[in-house]
Short mmCIF file of all heavy atoms in Angstrom, two decimals:
data_model
loop_
_atom_site.label_atom_id
_atom_site.label_comp_id
_atom_site.label_asym_id
_atom_site.label_seq_id
_atom_site.Cartn_x
_atom_site.Cartn_y
_atom_site.Cartn_z
N LEU A 1 22.48 1.01 27.13
CA LEU A 1 22.50 0.29 25.86
C LEU A 1 21.26 -0.60 25.68
O LEU A 1 20.75 -0.71 24.56
CB LEU A 1 23.73 -0.60 25.79
CG LEU A 1 25.05 0.12 25.58
CD1 LEU A 1 26.24 -0.87 25.63
CD2 LEU A 1 25.09 0.91 24.33
N THR A 2 20.77 -1.21 26.74
CA THR A 2 19.58 -2.02 26.64
C THR A 2 18.38 -1.20 26.29
O THR A 2 17.55 -1.54 25.44
CB THR A 2 19.35 -2.80 27.97
OG1 THR A 2 20.48 -3.52 28.33
CG2 THR A 2 18.14 -3.71 27.87
N ILE A 3 18.16 -0.06 27.00
CA ILE A 3 17.06 0.81 26.72
C ILE A 3 17.13 1.36 25.30
O ILE A 3 16.16 1.38 24.56
CB ILE A 3 17.03 1.99 27.73
CG1 ILE A 3 16.66 1.43 29.15
CG2 ILE A 3 16.03 3.09 27.35
CD1 ILE A 3 16.79 2.49 30.22
N GLY A 4 18.31 1.78 24.90
CA GLY A 4 18.48 2.32 23.52
C GLY A 4 18.19 1.29 22.45
O GLY A 4 17.49 1.58 21.48
N GLY A 5 18.66 0.05 22.70
CA GLY A 5 18.37 -1.04 21.75
C GLY A 5 16.92 -1.37 21.64
O GLY A 5 16.39 -1.56 20.52
N LEU A 6 16.25 -1.44 22.76
CA LEU A 6 14.82 -1.75 22.75
C LEU A 6 14.01 -0.65 22.11
O LEU A 6 13.03 -0.97 21.34
CB LEU A 6 14.34 -2.07 24.19
CG LEU A 6 14.81 -3.39 24.78
CD1 LEU A 6 14.35 -3.49 26.26
CD2 LEU A 6 14.32 -4.58 23.97
N LEU A 7 14.30 0.57 22.43
CA LEU A 7 13.56 1.69 21.82
C LEU A 7 13.87 1.76 20.30
O LEU A 7 12.93 2.04 19.51
CB LEU A 7 13.94 3.03 22.49
CG LEU A 7 13.36 3.22 23.86
CD1 LEU A 7 13.94 4.49 24.51
CD2 LEU A 7 11.84 3.27 23.83
N PHE A 8 15.09 1.45 19.89
CA PHE A 8 15.40 1.46 18.46
C PHE A 8 14.62 0.33 17.71
O PHE A 8 14.11 0.52 16.64
CB PHE A 8 16.91 1.23 18.22
CG PHE A 8 17.29 1.13 16.80
CD1 PHE A 8 17.34 2.28 16.00
CD2 PHE A 8 17.62 -0.07 16.21
CE1 PHE A 8 17.67 2.24 14.66
CE2 PHE A 8 17.92 -0.19 14.87
CZ PHE A 8 17.99 0.94 14.08
N LEU A 9 14.63 -0.81 18.35
CA LEU A 9 13.84 -1.95 17.74
C LEU A 9 12.35 -1.65 17.66
O LEU A 9 11.71 -1.92 16.65
CB LEU A 9 14.08 -3.25 18.60
CG LEU A 9 13.38 -4.49 18.08
CD1 LEU A 9 13.94 -4.89 16.73
CD2 LEU A 9 13.52 -5.60 19.10
N ALA A 10 11.82 -1.04 18.68
CA ALA A 10 10.38 -0.66 18.71
C ALA A 10 10.13 0.37 17.57
O ALA A 10 9.13 0.31 16.86
CB ALA A 10 9.97 -0.14 20.06
N ALA A 11 11.01 1.33 17.49
CA ALA A 11 10.85 2.39 16.38
C ALA A 11 10.97 1.77 14.99
O ALA A 11 10.22 2.14 14.14
CB ALA A 11 11.90 3.48 16.59
N LEU A 12 11.89 0.83 14.81
CA LEU A 12 12.04 0.17 13.52
C LEU A 12 10.77 -0.63 13.17
O LEU A 12 10.29 -0.52 12.06
CB LEU A 12 13.25 -0.75 13.56
CG LEU A 12 13.60 -1.48 12.23
CD1 LEU A 12 14.00 -0.43 11.24
CD2 LEU A 12 14.65 -2.45 12.47
N LEU A 13 10.20 -1.38 14.14
CA LEU A 13 9.00 -2.14 13.85
C LEU A 13 7.82 -1.19 13.62
O LEU A 13 6.94 -1.48 12.77
CB LEU A 13 8.69 -3.09 15.01
CG LEU A 13 9.66 -4.24 15.23
CD1 LEU A 13 9.39 -4.95 16.48
CD2 LEU A 13 9.66 -5.16 13.99
N THR A 14 7.80 -0.04 14.30
CA THR A 14 6.74 0.89 14.05
C THR A 14 6.82 1.54 12.68
O THR A 14 5.79 1.75 12.02
CB THR A 14 6.78 1.98 15.16
OG1 THR A 14 6.68 1.35 16.42
CG2 THR A 14 5.60 2.98 15.02
N LEU A 15 8.04 1.79 12.21
CA LEU A 15 8.20 2.37 10.88
C LEU A 15 7.78 1.36 9.83
O LEU A 15 7.25 1.74 8.77
CB LEU A 15 9.67 2.74 10.68
CG LEU A 15 10.11 4.07 11.38
CD1 LEU A 15 11.60 4.27 11.22
CD2 LEU A 15 9.36 5.23 10.83
N ILE A 16 8.03 0.06 10.12
CA ILE A 16 7.52 -0.94 9.15
C ILE A 16 5.97 -0.93 9.08
O ILE A 16 5.41 -1.00 8.01
CB ILE A 16 8.05 -2.30 9.54
CG1 ILE A 16 9.57 -2.36 9.29
CG2 ILE A 16 7.39 -3.45 8.80
CD1 ILE A 16 10.23 -3.61 9.91
N ARG A 17 5.35 -0.77 10.24
CA ARG A 17 3.89 -0.70 10.28
C ARG A 17 3.41 0.54 9.58
O ARG A 17 2.38 0.47 8.85
CB ARG A 17 3.39 -0.78 11.69
CG ARG A 17 1.88 -0.56 11.90
CD ARG A 17 1.04 -1.40 11.06
NE ARG A 17 1.18 -2.81 11.29
CZ ARG A 17 0.66 -3.77 10.51
NH1 ARG A 17 -0.03 -3.48 9.45
NH2 ARG A 17 0.81 -5.02 10.81
N ILE A 18 4.07 1.64 9.71
CA ILE A 18 3.68 2.84 9.01
C ILE A 18 3.80 2.64 7.49
O ILE A 18 2.94 3.09 6.72
CB ILE A 18 4.49 4.10 9.46
CG1 ILE A 18 4.15 4.47 10.91
CG2 ILE A 18 4.28 5.27 8.56
CD1 ILE A 18 5.06 5.52 11.49
N THR A 19 4.86 1.94 7.08
CA THR A 19 5.11 1.75 5.63
C THR A 19 4.04 0.83 4.99
O THR A 19 3.52 1.13 3.90
CB THR A 19 6.48 1.20 5.42
OG1 THR A 19 7.44 2.06 6.06
CG2 THR A 19 6.81 1.06 3.96
N ILE A 20 3.78 -0.30 5.64
CA ILE A 20 2.87 -1.31 5.00
C ILE A 20 1.40 -1.09 5.29
O ILE A 20 0.59 -1.67 4.61
CB ILE A 20 3.29 -2.68 5.38
CG1 ILE A 20 3.13 -2.96 6.86
CG2 ILE A 20 4.69 -3.01 4.92
CD1 ILE A 20 3.40 -4.44 7.25
N GLY A 21 1.06 -0.28 6.26
CA GLY A 21 -0.33 0.06 6.47
C GLY A 21 -1.14 -0.99 7.10
O GLY A 21 -0.86 -1.46 8.16
N PRO A 22 -2.20 -1.49 6.49
CA PRO A 22 -2.78 -1.22 5.17
C PRO A 22 -3.76 -0.06 5.14
O PRO A 22 -4.05 0.47 4.11
CB PRO A 22 -3.46 -2.53 4.79
CG PRO A 22 -3.86 -3.08 6.15
CD PRO A 22 -2.85 -2.68 7.10
N SER A 23 -4.32 0.34 6.28
CA SER A 23 -5.31 1.38 6.24
C SER A 23 -4.72 2.66 6.87
O SER A 23 -3.66 2.68 7.47
CB SER A 23 -6.54 0.97 7.01
OG SER A 23 -6.27 0.93 8.41
N VAL A 24 -5.49 3.80 6.69
CA VAL A 24 -5.04 5.04 7.24
C VAL A 24 -5.03 4.99 8.76
O VAL A 24 -4.11 5.53 9.42
CB VAL A 24 -5.99 6.17 6.77
CG1 VAL A 24 -5.69 7.47 7.44
CG2 VAL A 24 -5.89 6.31 5.27
N LEU A 25 -5.97 4.33 9.36
CA LEU A 25 -6.05 4.28 10.81
C LEU A 25 -4.88 3.47 11.39
O LEU A 25 -4.32 3.82 12.46
CB LEU A 25 -7.34 3.67 11.27
CG LEU A 25 -8.59 4.53 11.01
CD1 LEU A 25 -9.85 3.81 11.50
CD2 LEU A 25 -8.42 5.87 11.72
N ASP A 26 -4.42 2.44 10.63
CA ASP A 26 -3.21 1.68 11.08
C ASP A 26 -2.02 2.60 11.08
O ASP A 26 -1.18 2.53 11.99
CB ASP A 26 -2.98 0.47 10.17
CG ASP A 26 -3.96 -0.62 10.37
OD1 ASP A 26 -4.56 -0.77 11.43
OD2 ASP A 26 -4.20 -1.35 9.42
N ARG A 27 -1.91 3.41 10.09
CA ARG A 27 -0.74 4.35 9.97
C ARG A 27 -0.80 5.45 11.05
O ARG A 27 0.23 5.80 11.61
CB ARG A 27 -0.73 4.96 8.59
CG ARG A 27 -0.30 3.96 7.55
CD ARG A 27 -0.19 4.64 6.15
NE ARG A 27 0.39 3.71 5.22
CZ ARG A 27 -0.25 3.05 4.27
NH1 ARG A 27 -1.59 3.24 4.17
NH2 ARG A 27 0.31 2.26 3.46
N VAL A 28 -2.01 5.86 11.39
CA VAL A 28 -2.16 6.89 12.39
C VAL A 28 -1.78 6.37 13.76
O VAL A 28 -1.09 6.95 14.55
CB VAL A 28 -3.56 7.46 12.38
CG1 VAL A 28 -3.84 8.36 13.64
CG2 VAL A 28 -3.81 8.26 11.12
N VAL A 29 -2.28 5.10 14.07
CA VAL A 29 -1.94 4.50 15.32
C VAL A 29 -0.40 4.24 15.43
O VAL A 29 0.20 4.50 16.44
CB VAL A 29 -2.73 3.19 15.52
CG1 VAL A 29 -2.21 2.36 16.69
CG2 VAL A 29 -4.19 3.52 15.68
N ALA A 30 0.21 3.79 14.34
CA ALA A 30 1.64 3.59 14.33
C ALA A 30 2.41 4.90 14.50
O ALA A 30 3.41 4.90 15.18
CB ALA A 30 2.01 2.89 13.05
N THR A 31 1.92 5.94 13.90
CA THR A 31 2.58 7.25 14.09
C THR A 31 2.46 7.70 15.56
O THR A 31 3.43 8.26 16.11
CB THR A 31 1.96 8.26 13.14
OG1 THR A 31 2.03 7.79 11.81
CG2 THR A 31 2.64 9.57 13.23
N ASP A 32 1.29 7.44 16.15
CA ASP A 32 1.16 7.84 17.57
C ASP A 32 2.06 7.00 18.44
O ASP A 32 2.65 7.48 19.40
CB ASP A 32 -0.29 7.61 17.97
CG ASP A 32 -0.63 8.32 19.25
OD1 ASP A 32 -0.06 9.31 19.58
OD2 ASP A 32 -1.49 7.78 19.99
N VAL A 33 2.23 5.72 18.08
CA VAL A 33 3.20 4.88 18.84
C VAL A 33 4.63 5.35 18.66
O VAL A 33 5.40 5.38 19.62
CB VAL A 33 3.06 3.42 18.39
CG1 VAL A 33 4.14 2.56 18.97
CG2 VAL A 33 1.72 2.85 18.81
N LEU A 34 4.97 5.81 17.44
CA LEU A 34 6.29 6.35 17.17
C LEU A 34 6.56 7.60 18.07
O LEU A 34 7.66 7.81 18.59
CB LEU A 34 6.49 6.63 15.71
CG LEU A 34 7.91 7.02 15.27
CD1 LEU A 34 8.89 5.87 15.57
CD2 LEU A 34 7.96 7.31 13.80
N VAL A 35 5.56 8.45 18.12
CA VAL A 35 5.71 9.65 18.96
C VAL A 35 5.90 9.25 20.43
O VAL A 35 6.74 9.81 21.13
CB VAL A 35 4.52 10.61 18.73
CG1 VAL A 35 4.48 11.71 19.86
CG2 VAL A 35 4.51 11.22 17.41
N SER A 36 5.17 8.25 20.85
CA SER A 36 5.34 7.74 22.19
C SER A 36 6.74 7.17 22.44
O SER A 36 7.30 7.34 23.53
CB SER A 36 4.27 6.68 22.53
OG SER A 36 3.01 7.17 22.44
N ILE A 37 7.23 6.50 21.47
CA ILE A 37 8.65 5.94 21.58
C ILE A 37 9.65 7.07 21.70
O ILE A 37 10.58 7.00 22.51
CB ILE A 37 8.95 5.00 20.35
CG1 ILE A 37 8.10 3.75 20.50
CG2 ILE A 37 10.39 4.67 20.31
CD1 ILE A 37 8.12 2.91 19.27
N VAL A 38 9.43 8.15 20.92
CA VAL A 38 10.38 9.28 21.03
C VAL A 38 10.25 9.93 22.41
O VAL A 38 11.29 10.31 22.97
CB VAL A 38 10.08 10.31 19.86
CG1 VAL A 38 10.80 11.59 20.07
CG2 VAL A 38 10.40 9.67 18.51
N VAL A 39 9.05 10.05 22.88
CA VAL A 39 8.87 10.60 24.23
C VAL A 39 9.52 9.75 25.28
O VAL A 39 10.21 10.27 26.22
CB VAL A 39 7.36 10.76 24.57
CG1 VAL A 39 7.10 11.10 26.04
CG2 VAL A 39 6.73 11.90 23.69
#
């Protein structure tokens, strides 16, 4: 439960970063972080 909750929180914060940007490189880095969270 702890691992799942922390990974969910990290994914949620990463999705917020993907949404608000502000630049393309910020979104790319956030997408890479999201892939790392899924891994």
Side-chain angles (χ1 to χ4, degrees):
L1 290 176
T2 304
I3 291 171
L6 289 174
L7 287 174
F8 177 76
L9 180 65
L12 183 67
L13 292 173
T14 305
L15 286 173
I16 292 170
R17 173 50 62 190
I18 290 172
T19 304
I20 64 174
S23 70
V24 172
L25 290 179
D26 289 333
R27 289 183 171 103
V28 169
V29 169
T31 304
D32 195 30
V33 169
L34 188 62
V35 170
S36 299
I37 292 169
V38 170
V39 168

